[in-house]
Amino acid sequence: MSRTPAHSSRVVVIGAGIVGCSLADELTARGWTDVTVLEQGPLPAPGGSTSHAPGLVFQTGPSKTMTEFAAYTVEKFGALEVDGLPCFNPVGGLEIATTEARWADLHRKAGLAASWGVHGELIGPQQCKQLWPMLDETTLHGGFHTPDDGLARAVLACRAQIARAERRGARFLERHTVTGIEREDGRVTGVTTDRGTFPADHVVSAAGFWGPVIGAMAGVDVPLLPLAHQYATTGPLPELDGVNDPRTEASKPILRFQDRDLYFREHTDRIGIGSYAHRPMPVDPFTVAAFDEAPVMPSSLPFTAEDFAPSWQDSVQLLPALGSSRVAEGFNGVFSFTPDGMPVLGESRELRGFWLAEAVWVTHSAGVAKAVAEWMTDGRPAIDIHECDLYRFEDAQRSPAYVADRGAQNFIEVYDVIHPLQPMEQPRPLRTSPFYPRQQELGAYFLEGGGWERPHWYEANAPLAEGLQLPERDAWSARYWSPIAAAEARATREKVALYDMTPLRRLEVTGPGALAFLQRMTSNNLAKKPGAVTYTLLLDETGGIRSDLTVARLAPDRFQVGANSGSDLDWLLRHAPGEGVQVRDLTSGTCCIGVWGPLARDLVQPLTRDDFSHQAFGYFRAKQTHLGHVPVTAMRLSYVGELGWELYTTADLGLRLWDTLWEAGREHGVIAAGRSAFNSLRLEKGYRSWGHDMTTEHNPYEAGVGFAVRPAKGDFVGRSALAGASEETVSRRLTCLTLDDPAAVVLGKEPVHVDGAPAGYVTSAAYGYTLGRGIAYAWLPATAAAPGTAVHIEYFGEKIPATVAQEPLFDPQMERIRR
């Protein structure tokens, strides 16, 4: 992508909250000094979420990206001060457990901290009371203490960063209300305010919960829901009299009582209490009062005492000293939620130069600003941000109703114990494949992803699971799992199974320039005859893996691309030349069934006049044919390690295709199988899952997919960055592990210990039903990745022995697929 040279880039940032101020600081530090920050309120506390934020910074969570954002916030704000006042107070954090389920979850969280490099330890009730003497320790099972967490003083941090950015040339203009976004030929050209127009090459919306308002001016959808969150402050407490320095306000860790959706922090001689326990209170960003019209400030709504009453009782129960106090002050503060609880970051494709840095809490503010600044100046963030990408949402996830439903549910679940497979309950079903009626008839157990209903197993197969000898699972790993998955995996290995692959994204690239375009965009050589299918990678300019694709050349100028997400479509559309190439999404209008197993050919061959023998229809080949009455594109691919095909047709014929295959498969014992079996089978074959096993932070040789890189084919994105790289030169590897105990199970994101110390983390894991033991893939130092190396995986505090294994674990000679 061509970019405006740094010395002449004019940037306008909308919003001088913590994100806008941090971004101005990060941009000017990188030499982009023509930066104007526009703010509708007065500085440095203009009345948005930053102005009332309690400033909690907890680093640990299930997202590595969000943890890294928070870690940078701690690092950066910890080095800032204003008038001798620190911008960050490293009081630490303390999460307590009053239930067995929460205590178990804190063990899991301690594992996440170890995986992501955050210092933390599990402590007993007495140690919790030492850190927080007001606690009633008799209610506790224990706590998780993170000494490097703390309180960010957001307004002070804004002041510090404003001063630095201004010294480098930035300007901050208060009392400027944005009224429009100017554009020409698909690019942003400026920002109009009630006090004049500001020309711009780049405009960044860092407007917080006003993001949808700014987005509407630009014609850019911002999937964000503002919600009010209750915060109350007690009266002065004798227990805190003279304890805390008024300059730093607090000395005790931030206390989180997540079993009751509460958190606590000190305000010198008082305690502040935040609650997520109340009903969701959505706010329309288009009707929020202006600063001068708001009773306090736009983000501070009147306190609804009746909503807080149960939380006060829970607070007194945990901290009995509060019984002699009361709520002295309170407000309902507005901040942002998205359908998946993650920020919305990136440049609009429809309006080039218009960027979003929205739905960002103070916790992650500096890290997000750094990533966006890198993206703008260098073309990419230094860390993987696919979970935050603007284009990760499907069109079906962008409706106001969906954003409202999911945003409110995310508020409710902020402090819930969430299983990694746990789907949201509403709105469902939203997207269903044409096979959905048949799946329901077979008793499919559905989970959800990208709005799609995805069968994970089928109750109709329960009889097949009878008598299977499987290790007993703990309560956590048994959730969203069934022994039926083992039966479905076995049937796939022994007979034949139908898998619904419809939710996987399908793109079509056509036109006289299609081949040249795809050759430039991907790493493998696609210059093959029509009928060839190629596994290839989308790389960024540094050689990081943006995605992996399967590309079928169906005609000289027509390619079908199997992709991972909407971000892949966005990447290709951004780079497509203006003429000679068309890129479109086929997913919604098509469907796919994977027919896999040793009897797959026996099932499919009688349905077609075309020769489906191995000699006539080899592995990684495609053919357009008919199965019964249904026209299909058949691809000889298998991500379960068995003979078979992916069969594509249009959505209107999908049900007919299913019924045709089902009827023909009866004599062969065909079953329908779900994603749970699929994941087990793919790990037995060592097949990578992009977004889990590999991201932009990894190069192909580290991830074990260097075979998909063909430098000799000519230039392509990322080629020069990989010069000299090889599997022999890497310092880390995606490594296959098998669990020594056949009864042990892990789920993913657990830390891996080498020689007693955390050295990496698990990316994907499943039980290998064919092998009879658990499998995990993990990032480890290359020195620890040699087969036979003994390691330990920490699962809920238990160190589970595992061994580095040679991959693939199943059928290394590929004899079952190539027959």
Side-chain angles (χ1 to χ4, degrees), residues 186 285 398 477 663 804:
R398 291 179 169 273
S477 64
E663 186 60 33
V804 175

Side-chain angles (χ1 to χ4, degrees), residues 186 203 218-221 345-356 390-391 570 574:
V203 173
V220 175
D221 180 49
L345 312 178
E347 182 187 19
S348 168
R349 186 180 67 253
E350 295 80 9
L351 182 60
R352 300 296 180 90
F354 183 81
W355 295 77
L356 295 179
L390 166 62
Y391 290 93
D570 173 58
R574 285 179 188 274

Side-chain angles (χ1 to χ4, degrees), residues 432-481:
T432 60
S433 80
F435 323 129
Y436 186 65
R438 300 295 181 263
Q439 293 166 341
Q440 288 180 301
E441 292 167 5
L442 293 169
Y445 185 89
F446 293 99
L447 298 180
E448 179 267 346
W452 287 100
E453 294 296 319
R454 301 185 180 201
H456 273 242
W457 65 82
Y458 294 84
E459 288 297 329
N461 297 324
L464 301 178
E466 295 176 2
L468 290 181
Q469 298 300 311
L470 297 173
E472 185 176 347
R473 291 200 170 208
D474 65 277
W476 185 252
S477 64
R479 290 182 68 182
Y480 308 107
W481 174 84

Side-chain angles (χ1 to χ4, degrees), residues 81-98:
E81 64 175 40
V82 176
D83 299 333
L85 296 175
C87 294
F88 183 79
N89 185 359
V91 293
L94 176 63
E95 299 179 53
I96 56 169
T98 59

Side-chain angles (χ1 to χ4, degrees), residues 377-710:
T377 59
D378 301 333
R380 70 183 291 276
I383 66 171
D384 169 59
I385 53 85
H386 80 272
E387 295 172 309
C388 309
D389 189 272
L390 166 62
Y391 290 93
R392 71 186 183 273
F393 293 116
E394 305 286 339
D395 289 344
Q397 297 174 300
R398 291 179 169 273
S399 70
Y402 186 95
V403 173
D405 286 348
R406 297 286 194 168
Q409 188 65 25
N410 268 302
F411 177 90
I412 292 170
E413 294 178 351
V414 162
Y415 279 173
D416 286 2
V417 176
I418 301 294
H419 193 278
L421 292 176
Q422 182 174 329
M424 284 194 169
E425 296 179 1
Q426 295 295 332
R428 291 182 63 192
L430 182 62
R431 307 178 78 187
T432 60
S433 80
F435 323 129
Y436 186 65
R438 300 295 181 263
Q439 293 166 341
Q440 288 180 301
E441 292 167 5
L442 293 169
Y445 185 89
F446 293 99
L447 298 180
E448 179 267 346
W452 287 100
E453 294 296 319
R454 301 185 180 201
H456 273 242
W457 65 82
Y458 294 84
E459 288 297 329
N461 297 324
L464 301 178
E466 295 176 2
L468 290 181
Q469 298 300 311
L470 297 173
E472 185 176 347
R473 291 200 170 208
D474 65 277
W476 185 252
S477 64
R479 290 182 68 182
Y480 308 107
W481 174 84
S482 168
I484 296 171
E488 293 176 358
R490 180 175 179 178
T492 307
R493 291 276 186 245
E494 295 179 354
K495 294 184 179 180
V496 61
L498 305 185
Y499 287 81
D500 181 2
M501 307 303 289
T502 300
L504 301 184
R505 185 173 294 272
R506 292 168 293 286
L507 312 177
E508 182 182 69
V509 181
T510 58
L515 175 60
F517 169 63
L518 289 172
Q519 285 282 74
R520 178 167 57 86
M521 295 306 301
T522 71
S523 63
N524 212 333
N525 187 11
L526 307 181
K528 302 172 183 176
K529 294 179 179 179
V533 182
T534 306
Y535 177 82
T536 187
L537 306 172
L538 284 181
L539 305 178
D540 64 20
E541 290 84 353
T542 67
I545 303 171
R546 283 193 58 94
S547 189
D548 61 344
L549 312 174
T550 52
V551 180
R553 191 175 192 182
L554 302 181
D557 295 340
R558 182 162 69 92
F559 297 80
Q560 182 171 312
V561 179
N564 284 298
S565 72
S567 298
D568 296 345
L569 174 62
D570 173 58
W571 181 253
L572 293 176
L573 287 172
R574 285 179 188 274
H575 289 81
E579 297 181 0
V581 177
Q582 295 79 44
V583 181
R584 68 187 186 104
D585 192 336
L586 301 175
T587 311
S588 296
T590 56
C591 58
C592 177
I593 300 176
V595 182
W596 292 313
L599 302 182
R601 184 176 288 115
D602 297 319
L603 189 160
V604 174
Q605 183 62 80
L607 299 174
T608 179
R609 295 180 179 179
D610 287 311
D611 187 351
F612 270 53
S613 68
H614 181 63
Q615 293 73 23
F617 196 159
Y619 190 53
F620 265 81
R621 300 291 298 173
K623 185 177 293 188
Q624 292 175 297
T625 184
H626 288 80
L627 296 182
H629 297 91
V630 182
V632 300
T633 299
M635 297 187 195
R636 179 89 183 274
L637 304 175
S638 173
Y639 289 95
V640 300
E642 296 292 340
L643 171 69
W645 289 265
E646 292 179 359
L647 303 173
Y648 299 88
T649 192
T650 53
D652 59 321
L653 291 167
L655 200 58
R656 184 61 177 260
L657 176 60
W658 179 281
D659 289 344
T660 299
L661 294 168
W662 189 259
E663 186 60 33
R666 284 181 182 273
E667 63 179 291
H668 304 294
V670 70
I671 67 161
R675 298 289 298 182
S676 187
F678 177 90
N679 197 48
S680 170
L681 296 169
R682 75 142 180 114
L683 285 178
E684 290 181 340
K685 278 299 291 180
Y687 292 138
R688 277 59 170 149
S689 173
W690 184 85
H692 295 94
D693 301 318
M694 55 190 186
T695 69
T696 54
E697 296 181 7
H698 313 110
N699 76 41
Y701 303 106
E702 295 171 327
V705 290
F707 63 86
V709 179
R710 293 287 187 270

Side-chain angles (χ1 to χ4, degrees), residues 168-439:
R168 302 186 190 114
R171 56 178 177 167
F172 289 75
L173 303 178
E174 63 182 3
R175 301 287 188 175
H176 281 64
T177 300
V178 174
T179 58
I181 306 296
E182 296 194 338
R183 70 198 87 175
E184 185 177 334
D185 297 329
R187 279 204 66 89
V188 70
T189 59
V191 177
T192 303
T193 75
D194 59 350
R195 299 177 66 178
T197 298
F198 297 84
D201 303 301
H202 299 272
V203 173
V204 186
S205 177
F209 62 79
W210 286 286
V213 179
I214 301 300
M217 295 179 190
V220 175
D221 180 49
V222 181
L224 173 162
L225 176 71
L227 285 150
H229 159 61
Q230 292 200 296
Y231 193 80
T233 308
T234 69
L237 296 168
E239 291 82 359
L240 295 181
D241 185 27
V243 171
N244 294 316
D245 183 344
R247 292 166 54 84
T248 56
E249 293 187 341
S251 57
K252 298 178 185 61
I254 309 160
L255 179 64
R256 290 207 285 186
F257 182 20
Q258 293 171 302
D259 288 322
R260 289 294 183 269
D261 297 307
L262 293 168
Y263 63 83
F264 306 84
R265 59 151 293 182
E266 295 171 297
H267 293 278
T268 309
D269 62 349
R270 304 164 187 251
I271 290 179
I273 307 169
S275 172
Y276 293 99
H278 55 82
R279 61 190 169 91
M281 303 177 190
V283 175
D284 183 353
F286 291 87
T287 62
V288 174
F291 187 91
D292 294 326
E293 299 170 359
V296 180
M297 55 182 163
S299 64
S300 181
L301 304 181
F303 187 66
T304 51
E306 64 278 11
D307 289 306
F308 193 76
S311 291
W312 177 254
Q313 295 303 317
D314 289 333
S315 300
V316 172
Q317 184 177 357
L318 181 72
L319 306 172
L322 298 185
S324 59
S325 186
R326 59 182 177 82
V327 173
E329 296 180 273
F331 66 96
N332 292 358
V334 183
F335 64 144
S336 304
F337 283 80
T338 60
D340 60 4
M342 302 292 281
V344 179
L345 312 178
E347 182 187 19
S348 168
R349 186 180 67 253
E350 295 80 9
L351 182 60
R352 300 296 180 90
F354 183 81
W355 295 77
L356 295 179
E358 297 291 7
V360 182
W361 297 2
V362 171
T363 306
H364 311 105
S365 56
V368 164
K370 177 175 181 285
V372 173
E374 291 167 341
W375 206 342
M376 295 174 70
T377 59
D378 301 333
R380 70 183 291 276
I383 66 171
D384 169 59
I385 53 85
H386 80 272
E387 295 172 309
C388 309
D389 189 272
L390 166 62
Y391 290 93
R392 71 186 183 273
F393 293 116
E394 305 286 339
D395 289 344
Q397 297 174 300
R398 291 179 169 273
S399 70
Y402 186 95
V403 173
D405 286 348
R406 297 286 194 168
Q409 188 65 25
N410 268 302
F411 177 90
I412 292 170
E413 294 178 351
V414 162
Y415 279 173
D416 286 2
V417 176
I418 301 294
H419 193 278
L421 292 176
Q422 182 174 329
M424 284 194 169
E425 296 179 1
Q426 295 295 332
R428 291 182 63 192
L430 182 62
R431 307 178 78 187
T432 60
S433 80
F435 323 129
Y436 186 65
R438 300 295 181 263
Q439 293 166 341

